[in-house]
Amino acid sequence: MKILLASSEVYPYAKVGGLADVVGSLPFALSKLSHDVRVVMPKYKEVEDKIVGLKKVDDLLKIHMGNTGIMEAKMYEGKMSQEVPIYFIGNNQYFYRDQIYGTKDGDYPDNAHRFTLFSRAVLMMLKKLEWFPDVIHCNDFHTALVPVLLKTEFKDDPLYNRIATIFTIHNLAYQGIFSHDLLDEVGLDKNLYSIDKMEYWGKLNFMKGGMIFSEKINTVSPTYSKEIITPEYGNGLDGVLKTREKDLFGIINGIDYAQWNPETDRSIKKRYSNKNLKGKIKCKKNLLIEQGLKSSRLSIKAPLIGIISRLADQKGLDLVEKAMEKIINLGANLIILGTGDVHYHKIFEKMSYKFKENLKVNLRFDSKLAHKIYAGCDMFLMPSRFEPCGLGQMISLKYGTIPIVRKTGGLADTVIDCDKHIEKGTGFVFKEASSKDMLSAIKRAIDVFKDKKKWNRIVRRAMGQDFSWNKSANKYVKLYNKAILSK
Ligand code: ADP
């Protein structure tokens, strides 16, 4: 099968969240199944530092952008591996910027233009390459126009009208909602502004377009795929999703164990495995010292809880904020690594002064520190209000850092509660999005933590879980086939 993955983020070239990890790993698993897999993303400023041997493909793409005029895009070719080519779409005006989506003050005002140009360029690139995929796998609103364009501008072109699309929703909270004037500005078909297409409360909704025009839709966990057809989780699109329920699937993301494995991880103090956990204690000691938390014997024995997260409301950090004092009073130390909303920066910074003996807050993006936290902590806290899949809990399982999670989306599909399932449990799960429920799960975890034998049994079981991409890649292949057959 010929498969093209289109995404605005691909690890390691540009990453804001889990989307980058998915598109940075899935292609390899698909390629191992002997498919012809290629990837395309925008050529952001930071891409240049991260890829060697980038080759410019000679032809310029001329892109009609309605009233904005004709714009040019350059195409570059690199390799993610020997088998997997990656193409970059370059346009300095739109992509040569310090950030991917916006600054601290908000999204870039021309994001609609940027991702319309990108989506058109993805399709035009195929002609230059003389390579037409059987399926284009689109991800989130940035590439949602690809299925829209295929069914409008490109619909009568025989080179394009056999291409099937699947649209993956990684995060329904970011839909790409813009003024309807945009249709003229970027030259989209006027008929798209109707309730059964992209119209959304007097505006234009890119994600709605992706949902309506793609052959199949999926989200990144089975539970989230069921949650999003309800008003509570549907972010206003539950009605649209309900109409496509029979084409809506849930496939859990995998983890790239070449990157996340305590047996081979070069970023951590001492490597370890589930047969020998001594290295994990060294990692904890080292982390406590590096983070300037009390490094006495006492604090080595105290449970250490890690949080690595975008600092956004989605992640339930208000629950942590409310419960902080009580968590510390339970005898735990905490390390937080994250960036995001200014509100949380301010709050956590303030708290780090108040609880400086027991709480360390790192307000930045730092992959190396993330590895150290996954390895060095005893528990990993993820109290998300909603969570399409979540990678943090799966990574922490592999490192024997027991997840404490809210029962929602992918968290519900990947963490088994230790008290409910004594022989199978891998973490501690709570139901309500309340600091009270979260605290009681933390307390349950800390109680078990005091019994080293019992705790280490859970740690070993957690480390033995397999969330590699192999299983999920097979499910994607089945979904691609369904999309192709329904063309
Ligand atoms: P989301 O995609 O909603 O941000 P996920 O749990 O799916 O959440 O993925 C987040 C990924 O980003 C994980 O790999 C996590 O370790 C990483 N991450 C989040 N914040 C930071 C940070 N400040 N520094 C380093 N890595 C981070």
Side-chain angles (χ1 to χ4, degrees), residues 15-19 21 171 253 260 308-310 314-315 337-339 362 364-367 370 374 380 382 387-393 395:
K15 165 166 165 167
V16 175
L19 165 64
D21 295 300
N171 199 332
N253 287 333
W260 299 109
I308 303 174
S309 177
R310 276 186 300 114
Q314 171 199 340
K315 301 294 178 179
L337 169 63
T339 53
N362 307 272
R364 59 179 191 276
F365 195 93
D366 186 338
S367 294
Y374 283 122
F380 188 78
M382 219 164 151
E387 194 58 77
C389 175
L391 298 174
Q393 83 283 12
I395 298 171

PDB file of all heavy atoms in Angstrom, residues 15-19 21 171 253 260 308-310 314-315 337-339 362 364-367 370 374 380 382 387-393 395, ligand 1:
ATOM      1  N   LYS A  15       8.060  19.627  17.430  1.00  0.00           N
ATOM      2  CA  LYS A  15       7.130  18.977  18.353  1.00  0.00           C
ATOM      3  C   LYS A  15       6.518  19.989  19.305  1.00  0.00           C
ATOM      4  O   LYS A  15       7.211  20.808  19.897  1.00  0.00           O
ATOM      5  CB  LYS A  15       7.875  17.904  19.147  1.00  0.00           C
ATOM      6  CG  LYS A  15       7.117  17.405  20.370  1.00  0.00           C
ATOM      7  CD  LYS A  15       7.693  16.142  20.951  1.00  0.00           C
ATOM      8  CE  LYS A  15       7.139  15.899  22.341  1.00  0.00           C
ATOM      9  NZ  LYS A  15       7.386  14.586  22.867  1.00  0.00           N
ATOM     10  N   VAL A  16       5.201  19.939  19.413  1.00  0.00           N
ATOM     11  CA  VAL A  16       4.517  20.688  20.468  1.00  0.00           C
ATOM     12  C   VAL A  16       3.892  19.695  21.448  1.00  0.00           C
ATOM     13  O   VAL A  16       3.982  19.854  22.647  1.00  0.00           O
ATOM     14  CB  VAL A  16       3.431  21.628  19.881  1.00  0.00           C
ATOM     15  CG1 VAL A  16       2.648  22.307  20.990  1.00  0.00           C
ATOM     16  CG2 VAL A  16       4.068  22.673  18.983  1.00  0.00           C
ATOM     17  N   GLY A  17       3.317  18.635  20.910  1.00  0.00           N
ATOM     18  CA  GLY A  17       2.670  17.645  21.788  1.00  0.00           C
ATOM     19  C   GLY A  17       2.745  16.246  21.208  1.00  0.00           C
ATOM     20  O   GLY A  17       3.587  15.951  20.351  1.00  0.00           O
ATOM     21  N   GLY A  18       1.815  15.405  21.677  1.00  0.00           N
ATOM     22  CA  GLY A  18       1.816  13.988  21.319  1.00  0.00           C
ATOM     23  C   GLY A  18       1.677  13.716  19.818  1.00  0.00           C
ATOM     24  O   GLY A  18       2.152  12.695  19.329  1.00  0.00           O
ATOM     25  N   LEU A  19       1.037  14.629  19.089  1.00  0.00           N
ATOM     26  CA  LEU A  19       0.903  14.470  17.634  1.00  0.00           C
ATOM     27  C   LEU A  19       2.263  14.195  16.987  1.00  0.00           C
ATOM     28  O   LEU A  19       2.409  13.314  16.139  1.00  0.00           O
ATOM     29  CB  LEU A  19       0.269  15.742  17.039  1.00  0.00           C
ATOM     30  CG  LEU A  19       0.342  15.940  15.530  1.00  0.00           C
ATOM     31  CD1 LEU A  19      -0.435  14.867  14.786  1.00  0.00           C
ATOM     32  CD2 LEU A  19      -0.225  17.312  15.146  1.00  0.00           C
ATOM     33  N   ASP A  21       4.921  12.890  18.321  1.00  0.00           N
ATOM     34  CA  ASP A  21       5.412  11.557  18.664  1.00  0.00           C
ATOM     35  C   ASP A  21       4.754  10.496  17.793  1.00  0.00           C
ATOM     36  O   ASP A  21       5.412   9.565  17.336  1.00  0.00           O
ATOM     37  CB  ASP A  21       5.141  11.252  20.142  1.00  0.00           C
ATOM     38  CG  ASP A  21       5.930  12.178  21.060  1.00  0.00           C
ATOM     39  OD1 ASP A  21       7.158  12.162  20.978  1.00  0.00           O
ATOM     40  OD2 ASP A  21       5.308  12.929  21.822  1.00  0.00           O
ATOM     41  N   ASN A 171      -6.665  15.891  18.961  1.00  0.00           N
ATOM     42  CA  ASN A 171      -7.177  16.766  20.008  1.00  0.00           C
ATOM     43  C   ASN A 171      -8.326  17.623  19.485  1.00  0.00           C
ATOM     44  O   ASN A 171      -8.120  18.518  18.668  1.00  0.00           O
ATOM     45  CB  ASN A 171      -6.059  17.657  20.540  1.00  0.00           C
ATOM     46  CG  ASN A 171      -6.411  18.222  21.897  1.00  0.00           C
ATOM     47  OD1 ASN A 171      -7.595  18.405  22.206  1.00  0.00           O
ATOM     48  ND2 ASN A 171      -5.412  18.482  22.705  1.00  0.00           N
ATOM     49  N   ASN A 253      -2.553   5.015  20.557  1.00  0.00           N
ATOM     50  CA  ASN A 253      -1.193   5.307  20.090  1.00  0.00           C
ATOM     51  C   ASN A 253      -0.205   4.322  20.682  1.00  0.00           C
ATOM     52  O   ASN A 253      -0.430   3.771  21.760  1.00  0.00           O
ATOM     53  CB  ASN A 253      -0.755   6.700  20.561  1.00  0.00           C
ATOM     54  CG  ASN A 253      -1.444   7.801  19.796  1.00  0.00           C
ATOM     55  OD1 ASN A 253      -1.845   7.617  18.658  1.00  0.00           O
ATOM     56  ND2 ASN A 253      -1.572   8.962  20.420  1.00  0.00           N
ATOM     57  N   TRP A 260      12.098   5.421  24.389  1.00  0.00           N
ATOM     58  CA  TRP A 260      11.647   5.366  25.782  1.00  0.00           C
ATOM     59  C   TRP A 260      11.848   3.965  26.360  1.00  0.00           C
ATOM     60  O   TRP A 260      10.964   3.128  26.261  1.00  0.00           O
ATOM     61  CB  TRP A 260      10.171   5.756  25.878  1.00  0.00           C
ATOM     62  CG  TRP A 260       9.849   7.135  25.408  1.00  0.00           C
ATOM     63  CD1 TRP A 260       9.167   7.475  24.279  1.00  0.00           C
ATOM     64  CD2 TRP A 260      10.173   8.377  26.062  1.00  0.00           C
ATOM     65  NE1 TRP A 260       9.056   8.846  24.189  1.00  0.00           N
ATOM     66  CE2 TRP A 260       9.665   9.419  25.270  1.00  0.00           C
ATOM     67  CE3 TRP A 260      10.855   8.707  27.243  1.00  0.00           C
ATOM     68  CZ2 TRP A 260       9.813  10.767  25.612  1.00  0.00           C
ATOM     69  CZ3 TRP A 260      10.997  10.044  27.576  1.00  0.00           C
ATOM     70  CH2 TRP A 260      10.483  11.051  26.772  1.00  0.00           C
ATOM     71  N   ILE A 308       4.685  15.706  33.943  1.00  0.00           N
ATOM     72  CA  ILE A 308       5.278  16.288  32.723  1.00  0.00           C
ATOM     73  C   ILE A 308       4.108  16.573  31.808  1.00  0.00           C
ATOM     74  O   ILE A 308       3.398  15.647  31.392  1.00  0.00           O
ATOM     75  CB  ILE A 308       6.253  15.309  32.037  1.00  0.00           C
ATOM     76  CG1 ILE A 308       7.350  14.878  33.013  1.00  0.00           C
ATOM     77  CG2 ILE A 308       6.860  15.958  30.787  1.00  0.00           C
ATOM     78  CD1 ILE A 308       8.269  13.793  32.468  1.00  0.00           C
ATOM     79  N   SER A 309       3.906  17.845  31.492  1.00  0.00           N
ATOM     80  CA  SER A 309       2.643  18.151  30.824  1.00  0.00           C
ATOM     81  C   SER A 309       2.655  19.533  30.181  1.00  0.00           C
ATOM     82  O   SER A 309       3.340  20.428  30.646  1.00  0.00           O
ATOM     83  CB  SER A 309       1.546  18.120  31.894  1.00  0.00           C
ATOM     84  OG  SER A 309       0.315  18.468  31.365  1.00  0.00           O
ATOM     85  N   ARG A 310       1.875  19.651  29.122  1.00  0.00           N
ATOM     86  CA  ARG A 310       1.529  20.996  28.684  1.00  0.00           C
ATOM     87  C   ARG A 310       0.719  21.601  29.815  1.00  0.00           C
ATOM     88  O   ARG A 310      -0.130  20.914  30.411  1.00  0.00           O
ATOM     89  CB  ARG A 310       0.643  20.943  27.437  1.00  0.00           C
ATOM     90  CG  ARG A 310       1.390  20.819  26.140  1.00  0.00           C
ATOM     91  CD  ARG A 310       0.480  20.919  24.943  1.00  0.00           C
ATOM     92  NE  ARG A 310      -0.547  19.901  24.903  1.00  0.00           N
ATOM     93  CZ  ARG A 310      -1.842  20.124  25.013  1.00  0.00           C
ATOM     94  NH1 ARG A 310      -2.299  21.355  25.151  1.00  0.00           N
ATOM     95  NH2 ARG A 310      -2.714  19.133  24.948  1.00  0.00           N
ATOM     96  N   GLN A 314      -6.958  21.436  30.000  1.00  0.00           N
ATOM     97  CA  GLN A 314      -7.244  20.039  29.663  1.00  0.00           C
ATOM     98  C   GLN A 314      -6.597  19.063  30.643  1.00  0.00           C
ATOM     99  O   GLN A 314      -7.135  17.996  30.935  1.00  0.00           O
ATOM    100  CB  GLN A 314      -6.717  19.753  28.246  1.00  0.00           C
ATOM    101  CG  GLN A 314      -6.759  18.291  27.874  1.00  0.00           C
ATOM    102  CD  GLN A 314      -5.844  17.930  26.705  1.00  0.00           C
ATOM    103  OE1 GLN A 314      -5.441  18.780  25.921  1.00  0.00           O
ATOM    104  NE2 GLN A 314      -5.520  16.658  26.577  1.00  0.00           N
ATOM    105  N   LYS A 315      -5.427  19.418  31.114  1.00  0.00           N
ATOM    106  CA  LYS A 315      -4.614  18.460  31.877  1.00  0.00           C
ATOM    107  C   LYS A 315      -5.004  18.367  33.357  1.00  0.00           C
ATOM    108  O   LYS A 315      -4.349  17.678  34.128  1.00  0.00           O
ATOM    109  CB  LYS A 315      -3.131  18.809  31.728  1.00  0.00           C
ATOM    110  CG  LYS A 315      -2.637  18.795  30.291  1.00  0.00           C
ATOM    111  CD  LYS A 315      -2.670  17.381  29.701  1.00  0.00           C
ATOM    112  CE  LYS A 315      -2.211  17.376  28.245  1.00  0.00           C
ATOM    113  NZ  LYS A 315      -2.207  16.027  27.665  1.00  0.00           N
ATOM    114  N   LEU A 337       7.316  19.435  35.342  1.00  0.00           N
ATOM    115  CA  LEU A 337       7.984  19.957  34.148  1.00  0.00           C
ATOM    116  C   LEU A 337       6.883  20.309  33.148  1.00  0.00           C
ATOM    117  O   LEU A 337       6.081  19.451  32.775  1.00  0.00           O
ATOM    118  CB  LEU A 337       8.917  18.889  33.555  1.00  0.00           C
ATOM    119  CG  LEU A 337       9.493  19.177  32.166  1.00  0.00           C
ATOM    120  CD1 LEU A 337      10.376  20.424  32.160  1.00  0.00           C
ATOM    121  CD2 LEU A 337      10.305  17.977  31.655  1.00  0.00           C
ATOM    122  N   GLY A 338       6.861  21.560  32.725  1.00  0.00           N
ATOM    123  CA  GLY A 338       5.818  21.919  31.763  1.00  0.00           C
ATOM    124  C   GLY A 338       5.904  23.362  31.295  1.00  0.00           C
ATOM    125  O   GLY A 338       6.544  24.197  31.938  1.00  0.00           O
ATOM    126  N   THR A 339       5.267  23.599  30.168  1.00  0.00           N
ATOM    127  CA  THR A 339       5.090  24.985  29.707  1.00  0.00           C
ATOM    128  C   THR A 339       3.671  25.115  29.189  1.00  0.00           C
ATOM    129  O   THR A 339       3.034  24.114  28.867  1.00  0.00           O
ATOM    130  CB  THR A 339       6.010  25.356  28.521  1.00  0.00           C
ATOM    131  OG1 THR A 339       5.827  24.380  27.507  1.00  0.00           O
ATOM    132  CG2 THR A 339       7.445  25.476  28.909  1.00  0.00           C
ATOM    133  N   ASN A 362       9.707  23.221  36.976  1.00  0.00           N
ATOM    134  CA  ASN A 362      10.557  23.557  35.823  1.00  0.00           C
ATOM    135  C   ASN A 362       9.661  24.029  34.690  1.00  0.00           C
ATOM    136  O   ASN A 362       8.976  23.209  34.058  1.00  0.00           O
ATOM    137  CB  ASN A 362      11.340  22.323  35.369  1.00  0.00           C
ATOM    138  CG  ASN A 362      12.122  21.673  36.501  1.00  0.00           C
ATOM    139  OD1 ASN A 362      13.251  22.044  36.763  1.00  0.00           O
ATOM    140  ND2 ASN A 362      11.501  20.709  37.182  1.00  0.00           N
ATOM    141  N   ARG A 364       9.648  24.906  31.464  1.00  0.00           N
ATOM    142  CA  ARG A 364      10.282  24.930  30.145  1.00  0.00           C
ATOM    143  C   ARG A 364      10.025  23.595  29.442  1.00  0.00           C
ATOM    144  O   ARG A 364       9.515  22.663  30.055  1.00  0.00           O
ATOM    145  CB  ARG A 364      11.785  25.168  30.273  1.00  0.00           C
ATOM    146  CG  ARG A 364      12.504  24.115  31.101  1.00  0.00           C
ATOM    147  CD  ARG A 364      14.005  24.383  31.168  1.00  0.00           C
ATOM    148  NE  ARG A 364      14.728  23.267  31.732  1.00  0.00           N
ATOM    149  CZ  ARG A 364      14.894  23.051  33.027  1.00  0.00           C
ATOM    150  NH1 ARG A 364      14.395  23.891  33.914  1.00  0.00           N
ATOM    151  NH2 ARG A 364      15.567  21.985  33.454  1.00  0.00           N
ATOM    152  N   PHE A 365      10.378  23.544  28.174  1.00  0.00           N
ATOM    153  CA  PHE A 365      10.342  22.259  27.465  1.00  0.00           C
ATOM    154  C   PHE A 365      11.736  21.671  27.526  1.00  0.00           C
ATOM    155  O   PHE A 365      12.690  22.318  27.129  1.00  0.00           O
ATOM    156  CB  PHE A 365       9.888  22.449  26.007  1.00  0.00           C
ATOM    157  CG  PHE A 365       9.493  21.162  25.376  1.00  0.00           C
ATOM    158  CD1 PHE A 365       8.172  20.747  25.394  1.00  0.00           C
ATOM    159  CD2 PHE A 365      10.439  20.322  24.801  1.00  0.00           C
ATOM    160  CE1 PHE A 365       7.791  19.532  24.837  1.00  0.00           C
ATOM    161  CE2 PHE A 365      10.072  19.102  24.256  1.00  0.00           C
ATOM    162  CZ  PHE A 365       8.745  18.711  24.266  1.00  0.00           C
ATOM    163  N   ASP A 366      11.885  20.467  28.066  1.00  0.00           N
ATOM    164  CA  ASP A 366      13.218  19.919  28.284  1.00  0.00           C
ATOM    165  C   ASP A 366      13.147  18.386  28.187  1.00  0.00           C
ATOM    166  O   ASP A 366      12.803  17.701  29.152  1.00  0.00           O
ATOM    167  CB  ASP A 366      13.704  20.368  29.681  1.00  0.00           C
ATOM    168  CG  ASP A 366      15.140  19.968  29.955  1.00  0.00           C
ATOM    169  OD1 ASP A 366      15.646  19.029  29.304  1.00  0.00           O
ATOM    170  OD2 ASP A 366      15.742  20.606  30.835  1.00  0.00           O
ATOM    171  N   SER A 367      13.487  17.875  26.987  1.00  0.00           N
ATOM    172  CA  SER A 367      13.345  16.433  26.754  1.00  0.00           C
ATOM    173  C   SER A 367      14.240  15.619  27.678  1.00  0.00           C
ATOM    174  O   SER A 367      13.848  14.563  28.173  1.00  0.00           O
ATOM    175  CB  SER A 367      13.697  16.094  25.316  1.00  0.00           C
ATOM    176  OG  SER A 367      12.754  16.668  24.478  1.00  0.00           O
ATOM    177  N   ALA A 370      12.837  15.396  31.006  1.00  0.00           N
ATOM    178  CA  ALA A 370      11.657  14.512  30.971  1.00  0.00           C
ATOM    179  C   ALA A 370      12.088  13.059  31.187  1.00  0.00           C
ATOM    180  O   ALA A 370      11.507  12.346  32.003  1.00  0.00           O
ATOM    181  CB  ALA A 370      10.921  14.676  29.641  1.00  0.00           C
ATOM    182  N   TYR A 374      10.808  10.696  34.263  1.00  0.00           N
ATOM    183  CA  TYR A 374      10.135   9.398  34.067  1.00  0.00           C
ATOM    184  C   TYR A 374      10.879   8.291  34.822  1.00  0.00           C
ATOM    185  O   TYR A 374      10.269   7.389  35.382  1.00  0.00           O
ATOM    186  CB  TYR A 374      10.060   9.047  32.574  1.00  0.00           C
ATOM    187  CG  TYR A 374       8.982   9.798  31.817  1.00  0.00           C
ATOM    188  CD1 TYR A 374       9.287  10.602  30.719  1.00  0.00           C
ATOM    189  CD2 TYR A 374       7.643   9.688  32.190  1.00  0.00           C
ATOM    190  CE1 TYR A 374       8.295  11.286  30.022  1.00  0.00           C
ATOM    191  CE2 TYR A 374       6.643  10.370  31.499  1.00  0.00           C
ATOM    192  CZ  TYR A 374       6.975  11.163  30.424  1.00  0.00           C
ATOM    193  OH  TYR A 374       5.984  11.833  29.748  1.00  0.00           O
ATOM    194  N   PHE A 380       3.559   8.917  38.684  1.00  0.00           N
ATOM    195  CA  PHE A 380       3.386   9.929  37.639  1.00  0.00           C
ATOM    196  C   PHE A 380       1.923  10.358  37.645  1.00  0.00           C
ATOM    197  O   PHE A 380       1.030   9.530  37.512  1.00  0.00           O
ATOM    198  CB  PHE A 380       3.754   9.322  36.281  1.00  0.00           C
ATOM    199  CG  PHE A 380       3.799  10.324  35.172  1.00  0.00           C
ATOM    200  CD1 PHE A 380       4.887  11.180  35.028  1.00  0.00           C
ATOM    201  CD2 PHE A 380       2.748  10.432  34.267  1.00  0.00           C
ATOM    202  CE1 PHE A 380       4.927  12.116  33.996  1.00  0.00           C
ATOM    203  CE2 PHE A 380       2.786  11.370  33.240  1.00  0.00           C
ATOM    204  CZ  PHE A 380       3.884  12.209  33.102  1.00  0.00           C
ATOM    205  N   MET A 382      -1.381  12.292  36.309  1.00  0.00           N
ATOM    206  CA  MET A 382      -2.001  12.803  35.079  1.00  0.00           C
ATOM    207  C   MET A 382      -3.519  12.891  35.287  1.00  0.00           C
ATOM    208  O   MET A 382      -4.268  11.973  34.936  1.00  0.00           O
ATOM    209  CB  MET A 382      -1.670  11.823  33.945  1.00  0.00           C
ATOM    210  CG  MET A 382      -1.363  12.487  32.642  1.00  0.00           C
ATOM    211  SD  MET A 382      -0.543  11.360  31.525  1.00  0.00           S
ATOM    212  CE  MET A 382      -1.117  12.062  29.980  1.00  0.00           C
ATOM    213  N   GLU A 387      -8.582  13.266  27.770  1.00  0.00           N
ATOM    214  CA  GLU A 387      -7.270  12.838  27.275  1.00  0.00           C
ATOM    215  C   GLU A 387      -7.460  11.914  26.076  1.00  0.00           C
ATOM    216  O   GLU A 387      -7.776  10.741  26.232  1.00  0.00           O
ATOM    217  CB  GLU A 387      -6.505  12.111  28.391  1.00  0.00           C
ATOM    218  CG  GLU A 387      -5.039  11.914  28.128  1.00  0.00           C
ATOM    219  CD  GLU A 387      -4.303  13.241  27.894  1.00  0.00           C
ATOM    220  OE1 GLU A 387      -4.014  13.967  28.850  1.00  0.00           O
ATOM    221  OE2 GLU A 387      -4.049  13.535  26.712  1.00  0.00           O
ATOM    222  N   PRO A 388      -7.303  12.456  24.853  1.00  0.00           N
ATOM    223  CA  PRO A 388      -7.516  11.627  23.661  1.00  0.00           C
ATOM    224  C   PRO A 388      -6.742  10.292  23.742  1.00  0.00           C
ATOM    225  O   PRO A 388      -7.299   9.245  23.502  1.00  0.00           O
ATOM    226  CB  PRO A 388      -6.994  12.515  22.537  1.00  0.00           C
ATOM    227  CG  PRO A 388      -7.227  13.913  23.045  1.00  0.00           C
ATOM    228  CD  PRO A 388      -6.994  13.851  24.523  1.00  0.00           C
ATOM    229  N   CYS A 389      -5.474  10.341  24.070  1.00  0.00           N
ATOM    230  CA  CYS A 389      -4.726   9.104  24.305  1.00  0.00           C
ATOM    231  C   CYS A 389      -3.816   9.299  25.513  1.00  0.00           C
ATOM    232  O   CYS A 389      -3.941   8.651  26.529  1.00  0.00           O
ATOM    233  CB  CYS A 389      -3.886   8.720  23.080  1.00  0.00           C
ATOM    234  SG  CYS A 389      -2.840   7.292  23.404  1.00  0.00           S
ATOM    235  N   GLY A 390      -2.900  10.241  25.394  1.00  0.00           N
ATOM    236  CA  GLY A 390      -1.921  10.452  26.459  1.00  0.00           C
ATOM    237  C   GLY A 390      -0.734   9.544  26.246  1.00  0.00           C
ATOM    238  O   GLY A 390      -0.889   8.334  26.043  1.00  0.00           O
ATOM    239  N   LEU A 391       0.445  10.124  26.245  1.00  0.00           N
ATOM    240  CA  LEU A 391       1.650   9.312  26.106  1.00  0.00           C
ATOM    241  C   LEU A 391       2.353   9.180  27.448  1.00  0.00           C
ATOM    242  O   LEU A 391       2.974   8.167  27.753  1.00  0.00           O
ATOM    243  CB  LEU A 391       2.607   9.948  25.088  1.00  0.00           C
ATOM    244  CG  LEU A 391       2.075  10.079  23.660  1.00  0.00           C
ATOM    245  CD1 LEU A 391       3.040  10.841  22.777  1.00  0.00           C
ATOM    246  CD2 LEU A 391       1.810   8.697  23.075  1.00  0.00           C
ATOM    247  N   GLY A 392       2.239  10.237  28.255  1.00  0.00           N
ATOM    248  CA  GLY A 392       2.974  10.284  29.524  1.00  0.00           C
ATOM    249  C   GLY A 392       2.743   9.047  30.385  1.00  0.00           C
ATOM    250  O   GLY A 392       3.681   8.471  30.938  1.00  0.00           O
ATOM    251  N   GLN A 393       1.479   8.592  30.472  1.00  0.00           N
ATOM    252  CA  GLN A 393       1.184   7.436  31.333  1.00  0.00           C
ATOM    253  C   GLN A 393       1.808   6.165  30.775  1.00  0.00           C
ATOM    254  O   GLN A 393       2.254   5.296  31.533  1.00  0.00           O
ATOM    255  CB  GLN A 393      -0.332   7.291  31.537  1.00  0.00           C
ATOM    256  CG  GLN A 393      -1.114   6.576  30.447  1.00  0.00           C
ATOM    257  CD  GLN A 393      -1.344   7.441  29.214  1.00  0.00           C
ATOM    258  OE1 GLN A 393      -0.767   8.504  29.036  1.00  0.00           O
ATOM    259  NE2 GLN A 393      -2.205   6.979  28.323  1.00  0.00           N
ATOM    260  N   ILE A 395       4.570   6.030  28.864  1.00  0.00           N
ATOM    261  CA  ILE A 395       6.022   6.129  29.071  1.00  0.00           C
ATOM    262  C   ILE A 395       6.335   5.798  30.527  1.00  0.00           C
ATOM    263  O   ILE A 395       7.250   5.025  30.832  1.00  0.00           O
ATOM    264  CB  ILE A 395       6.536   7.544  28.714  1.00  0.00           C
ATOM    265  CG1 ILE A 395       6.284   7.863  27.241  1.00  0.00           C
ATOM    266  CG2 ILE A 395       8.024   7.665  29.037  1.00  0.00           C
ATOM    267  CD1 ILE A 395       6.561   9.303  26.838  1.00  0.00           C
TER     268      ILE A 395
HETATM  269  P1  ADP B   1      -0.382  16.220  24.626  1.00  0.00           P
HETATM  270  O1  ADP B   1      -0.140  15.732  23.241  1.00  0.00           O
HETATM  271  O2  ADP B   1      -1.807  16.519  24.935  1.00  0.00           O
HETATM  272  O3  ADP B   1       0.525  17.342  25.018  1.00  0.00           O
HETATM  273  P2  ADP B   1       0.606  13.612  25.490  1.00  0.00           P
HETATM  274  O4  ADP B   1       0.683  12.956  26.827  1.00  0.00           O
HETATM  275  O5  ADP B   1      -0.101  12.835  24.426  1.00  0.00           O
HETATM  276  O6  ADP B   1      -0.030  15.042  25.681  1.00  0.00           O
HETATM  277  O7  ADP B   1       2.076  13.904  24.949  1.00  0.00           O
HETATM  278  C1  ADP B   1       2.916  14.789  25.582  1.00  0.00           C
HETATM  279  C2  ADP B   1       4.337  14.462  25.205  1.00  0.00           C
HETATM  280  O8  ADP B   1       5.131  15.634  25.366  1.00  0.00           O
HETATM  281  C3  ADP B   1       4.970  13.415  26.091  1.00  0.00           C
HETATM  282  O9  ADP B   1       5.948  12.730  25.327  1.00  0.00           O
HETATM  283  C4  ADP B   1       5.617  14.260  27.209  1.00  0.00           C
HETATM  284  O10 ADP B   1       6.689  13.579  27.819  1.00  0.00           O
HETATM  285  C5  ADP B   1       6.092  15.453  26.399  1.00  0.00           C
HETATM  286  N1  ADP B   1       6.180  16.725  27.147  1.00  0.00           N
HETATM  287  C6  ADP B   1       5.156  17.512  27.555  1.00  0.00           C
HETATM  288  N2  ADP B   1       5.619  18.631  28.156  1.00  0.00           N
HETATM  289  C7  ADP B   1       6.964  18.544  28.141  1.00  0.00           C
HETATM  290  C8  ADP B   1       8.025  19.402  28.606  1.00  0.00           C
HETATM  291  N3  ADP B   1       7.768  20.559  29.212  1.00  0.00           N
HETATM  292  N4  ADP B   1       9.302  19.005  28.404  1.00  0.00           N
HETATM  293  C9  ADP B   1       9.555  17.827  27.785  1.00  0.00           C
HETATM  294  N5  ADP B   1       8.612  16.990  27.321  1.00  0.00           N
HETATM  295  C10 ADP B   1       7.330  17.335  27.485  1.00  0.00           C
END
